[in-house]
Amino acid sequence: MGKPRRRTLLAFASAAFLVSLVAGMGLFQPWRLFTSSSIDEPLTQRPAATSPATSPAGSTPAAAITAPVATAPALPNVLATGPFQSQEHPTSGSASLVQLPDGSHVVRLENLASSDGPDVKVWLSDREAGGDWFKYRSGRFLDLGPVKATHGNQNYAVPPGTDLSGLDTVVLWCDRFSVAFGSAALF
C-alpha cells in the first residue's frame, strides 16, 4: 500500500471516528452523568395574612360590623403518596397526587434525588412500580412534561378532565432510551 493511499485511508478513518464521536456525544450526552439541578417549588401560594383594623379605644370600626367572618383558606388534599424506588438510575424521594383547593390536581415530587439524563419526563402510569421498565411503554400513561430538576420539590399539573382511574404509578421516564430512572406506587 502506497503512502498516498495510506494517508487517504487514515484521513477517512479519522473523519469517520470524529463523526461517530460527535453523534454519540449528542445522542448519549455522557456529561449528564456529572450534572444535576435543584428546584424548590411550594405546593401552593398561601394568601398573605391580613390584620384586623384598629380604631380608637371604645369604638367599633364600621367595617368590623358588616364584614363577613373570614374562614381559613382550603388546604391541598393529598389523595395518594408513595416513595420512589430506583430502576435504571438511583432515585429517591416521594411522589404524591394532590388535589388543590380549586379542584385541580398536581403530581408533587418531594425530596427528589435522581440522575440527569436526556429527555427525562414525569409520567403517570397504570403499570406497577418497579421491576422491568419496558412494561411502561405498553401500558396507559399520561406524560406530564419534562422533569424540572434532578433534585428538590416540584409540581406537575394534571390536565383538567383527565381520567385518573388506574394511573397509580409515577415514573421518571427517559424517552430517548425508553428506560425508567425510578418509579413510585401511589397508595
Side-chain angles (χ1 to χ4, degrees):
M1 191 187 283
K3 284 188 179 186
R5 185 171 177 180
R6 187 177 292 158
R7 284 186 185 152
T8 303
L9 184 59
L10 184 59
F12 178 74
S14 296
F17 173 76
L18 285 175
V19 167
S20 297
L21 180 66
V22 169
M25 295 288 280
L27 180 64
F28 291 101
Q29 299 177 357
W31 57 88
R32 288 190 175 251
L33 291 172
F34 307 104
T35 62
S36 67
S37 55
S38 294
I39 190 170
D40 189 14
E41 291 183 323
L43 180 54
T44 61
Q45 297 289 354
R46 293 184 184 238
T50 57
S51 60
T54 57
S55 62
S59 68
T60 304
I65 297 171
T66 59
V69 175
T71 58
L75 297 175
N77 182 22
V78 177
L79 303 175
T81 191
F84 270 103
Q85 54 185 292
S86 299
Q87 287 187 265
E88 178 63 14
H89 292 265
T91 302
S92 62
S94 65
S96 301
L97 178 61
V98 179
Q99 184 175 24
L100 298 177
D102 65 3
S104 64
H105 294 89
V106 296
V107 169
R108 172 123 173 117
L109 309 183
E110 291 188 321
N111 300 313
L112 177 68
S114 189
S115 300
D116 199 0
D119 207 17
V120 179
K121 300 188 174 178
V122 177
W123 281 9
L124 272 173
S125 172
D126 69 346
R127 300 300 166 165
E128 184 178 302
D132 180 22
W133 62 75
F134 298 110
K135 65 186 172 196
Y136 297 117
R137 275 270 190 221
S138 62
R140 180 175 154 237
F141 65 88
L142 175 65
D143 184 341
L144 299 176
V147 71
K148 296 175 184 176
T150 59
H151 292 77
N153 304 312
Q154 44 204 283
N155 306 310
Y156 297 86
V158 175
T162 300
D163 177 12
L164 294 171
S165 62
L167 296 176
D168 52 8
T169 299
V170 175
V171 181
L172 294 183
W173 181 258
C174 179
D175 235 5
R176 182 167 298 166
F177 296 107
S178 293
V179 297
F181 279 32
S183 58
L186 299 175
F187 47 93

